[in-house]
């Protein structure tokens, strides 16, 4: 165990945050799945064991991802993009349909489903970081830098958008932030934003069934007093959970709204956490993500290479924006979406992809620490007087 701890490198605060989020996730999911287990006629331990396996698998992936030199992810990003684009197309055409949306594909043999947009997020962010770092000398050149970058962003955006609006919009926003960090001109970024708006409008107009769902959710959010009780049920139950939690909560496992709140183990896990752990627990969870973002900011500013800085920036933006989007929905600050809370919500492969993202950030941090140690060793060696 001691040898394993000694081999974990990178920012210790991020490691601690990952452990705390994982423990909190296990407690929340075990509490939240009691009603689901009863409906399916199984023990809640079955969901707990499955979730534990995913958490442990995620931490293992994070560990191995952080051991790999982050520069190797530049080459891996090209492979991921080659895999991701046809996979997203396959998902749209032949994926598993749930609520009129095709977001999942089933992995043969193991019969496990996964959301292809999770892979797309990782692929696009790493590919953008690679492309932006390689094009720094010609970053203002529209033909050599802007068009290849815009093409990759728009293709992924178009392929995710019809089935998963919230993920597509967040990923597009992260891409815009990454373009700003990568020194793309404001004029070109404005063109990207305009292109995204045109694509979004076109899909909403053509989308029919899905566009009706999106508009309904926005309408419920904007005018809850006029909304159909059935359509506002999720948001109302979430507010009840938060309101009854008080300052210190009802205690672990004492939630009552888990019996009424849809998806208290995934989309609305933050509401359940506030009900059981109170305002103190909710603020504590928010602080964990804020500290994570702060530590990632330090990694970005200290990274000597553009690729490492852009990689850490893009992945940290993606994880924190997703976290705050989930929490905003739970407290009524946004329309209902299906965005999970990173490393806390119950999930399958989404936990694994999230863990890899954390591991890549830690890989950049590990490289910074190793360079600092080498520079210190050189200074110490240089101070030793020569023998003669």
């Amino acid at each position: 165990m001691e040898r394993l701890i000694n081999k974990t490198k990178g920012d210790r605060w991020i490691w601690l945050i990952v452990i705390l989020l994982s423990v909190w996730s296990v407690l929340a999911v075990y509490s939240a799945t009691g009603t689901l287990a009863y409906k399916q006629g199984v023990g809640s331990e079955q969901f707990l064991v499955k979730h534990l396996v995913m958490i442990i698998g995620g931490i293992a992936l994070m560990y191995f991802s952080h051991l790999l030199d982050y520069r190797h992810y530049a080459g891996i990003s090209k492979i991921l993009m080659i895999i991701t684009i046809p996979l997203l197309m396959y998902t749209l055409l032949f994926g598993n349909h749930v609520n009129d949306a095709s977001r999942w594909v089933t992995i043969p043999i193991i019969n496990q489903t996964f959301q292809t947009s999770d892979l797309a997020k990782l692929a696009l962010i790493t590919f953008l970081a690679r492309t932006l770092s390689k094009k720094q000398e010609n970053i203002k050149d529209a033909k050599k830098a802007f068009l290849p970058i815009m093409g990759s962003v728009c293709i992924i955006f178009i392929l995710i958008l019809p089935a998963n609006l919230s993920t597509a919009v967040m990923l597009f926003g992260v891409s815009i932030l990454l373009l700003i960090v990568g020194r793309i001109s404001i004029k070109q970024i404005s063109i990207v934003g305009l292109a995204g708006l045109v694509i979004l409008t076109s899909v909403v107009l053509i989308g029919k069934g899905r566009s009706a769902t999106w508009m309904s959710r926005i309408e419920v959010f904007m005018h809850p007093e006029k909304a159909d009780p059935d359509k506002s049920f999720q948001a109302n139950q979430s507010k009840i959970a938060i309101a009854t939690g008080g300052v210190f909560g009802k205690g672990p496992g004492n939630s009552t709204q888990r019996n009424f709140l849809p998806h208290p183990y995934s989309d609305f896990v933050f509401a359940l956490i506030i009900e059981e752990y109170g305002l103190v627990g909710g603020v504590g969870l928010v602080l964990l993500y804020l500290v994570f973002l702060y530590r990632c900011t330090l990694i970005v500013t200290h990274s000597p290479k553009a690729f490492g800085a852009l990689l850490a920036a893009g992945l940290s933006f993606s994880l924190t924006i997703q976290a705050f989007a989930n929490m905003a929905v739970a407290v009524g600050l946004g329309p209902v979406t299906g965005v999970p809370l990173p490393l806390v919500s119950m999930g399958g492969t989404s936990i694994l992809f999230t863990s890899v993202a954390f591991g890549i950030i830690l890989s950049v941090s590990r490289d910074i620490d190793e360079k600092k140690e080498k520079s210190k060793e050189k200074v110490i060696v240089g101070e030793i007087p020569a023998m003669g």
Side-chain angles (χ1 to χ4, degrees), residues 4-24:
L4 185 64
I5 294 172
N6 291 332
K7 285 184 178 181
T8 56
K9 306 294 181 181
D11 193 295
R12 297 294 179 182
W13 280 99
I14 295 179
W15 278 108
L16 177 61
I17 289 167
V18 167
I19 292 169
L20 290 174
L21 289 176
S22 299
V23 171
W24 215 331

Side-chain angles (χ1 to χ4, degrees), residues 265-278:
Y265 42 82
S266 55
D267 298 353
F268 289 94
V269 70
F270 186 63
L272 178 129
I273 286 172
I274 294 179
E275 185 186 6
E276 293 192 344
Y277 299 91

Side-chain angles (χ1 to χ4, degrees), residues 89-373:
M89 293 175 67
Y90 175 84
T91 305
L92 273 178
L93 297 172
F94 308 107
N96 299 342
H97 284 261
V98 178
N99 297 328
D100 297 322
S102 181
R103 302 179 185 178
W104 295 266
V105 294
T106 303
I107 303 172
I109 302 173
I110 63 172
N111 200 33
Q112 174 70 47
T113 59
F114 84 99
Q115 202 164 326
T116 49
S117 58
D118 291 326
L119 175 62
K121 284 187 286 187
L122 196 61
L124 181 60
I125 291 170
T126 53
F127 184 77
L128 277 181
R130 171 188 176 275
T131 309
L132 285 167
S133 61
K134 288 177 71 70
K135 304 286 185 181
Q136 281 299 300
E137 293 182 2
N138 305 305
I139 200 65
K140 304 299 182 183
D141 190 314
K143 189 175 181 180
K144 292 182 179 179
F146 175 65
L147 290 178
I149 292 168
M150 181 181 175
S152 60
V153 172
C154 289
I155 288 171
I156 298 297
F157 183 58
I158 290 169
L159 291 174
I160 295 176
L161 183 58
N164 199 339
L165 174 65
S166 53
T167 298
V169 170
M170 281 191 293
L171 186 55
F172 191 82
V174 170
S175 300
I176 293 292
L177 289 173
L178 207 50
L179 295 184
I180 294 171
V181 175
R183 300 191 307 116
I184 293 288
S185 71
I186 298 299
K187 181 181 177 181
Q188 292 175 340
I189 290 172
S190 301
I191 294 172
V192 175
L194 183 61
L197 184 60
V198 171
I199 294 169
L200 177 59
T201 305
S202 301
V203 172
V204 169
L205 293 174
I206 298 170
K208 294 182 181 179
R210 289 302 298 167
S211 61
T213 303
W214 301 332
M215 296 307 295
S216 174
R217 289 179 177 179
I218 294 171
E219 185 69 24
V220 169
F221 171 67
M222 297 297 293
H223 304 287
E225 71 284 353
K226 299 178 183 179
D228 184 334
D230 291 336
K231 293 182 179 179
S232 60
F233 183 78
Q234 291 176 301
N236 291 338
Q237 294 302 317
S238 179
K239 291 172 185 175
I240 292 170
I242 292 168
T244 56
V247 177
F248 299 105
K250 299 175 180 177
N254 292 327
S255 168
T256 53
Q257 285 306 113
R258 64 187 174 188
N259 299 319
F260 309 98
L261 184 63
H263 310 293
Y265 42 82
S266 55
D267 298 353
F268 289 94
V269 70
F270 186 63
L272 178 129
I273 286 172
I274 294 179
E275 185 186 6
E276 293 192 344
Y277 299 91
L279 181 63
V280 173
V283 171
L285 193 58
V286 170
L287 287 176
L288 284 180
Y289 287 109
L290 286 176
V291 172
F292 165 71
L293 181 61
Y294 171 70
R295 300 305 301 181
C296 289
T297 303
L298 295 180
I299 293 171
V300 172
T301 54
H302 288 96
S303 179
K305 300 290 184 181
F307 177 63
L310 291 166
L311 197 58
L315 292 172
S316 61
F317 288 155
S318 176
L319 292 169
T320 50
I321 288 173
Q322 179 179 327
F324 283 100
N326 175 281
M327 292 187 284
V329 169
V331 300
L333 294 178
V336 173
T337 63
V339 177
L341 192 58
L343 280 190
V344 177
S345 293
M346 185 176 77
T349 50
S350 63
I351 291 178
L352 303 182
F353 285 117
T354 300
S355 299
V356 170
F358 273 98
I360 294 172
I361 294 170
L362 286 167
S363 177
V364 179
S365 175
R366 180 176 66 87
D367 182 75
I368 295 170
D369 292 345
E370 288 177 352
K371 281 183 169 56
K372 285 181 179 178
E373 289 175 5

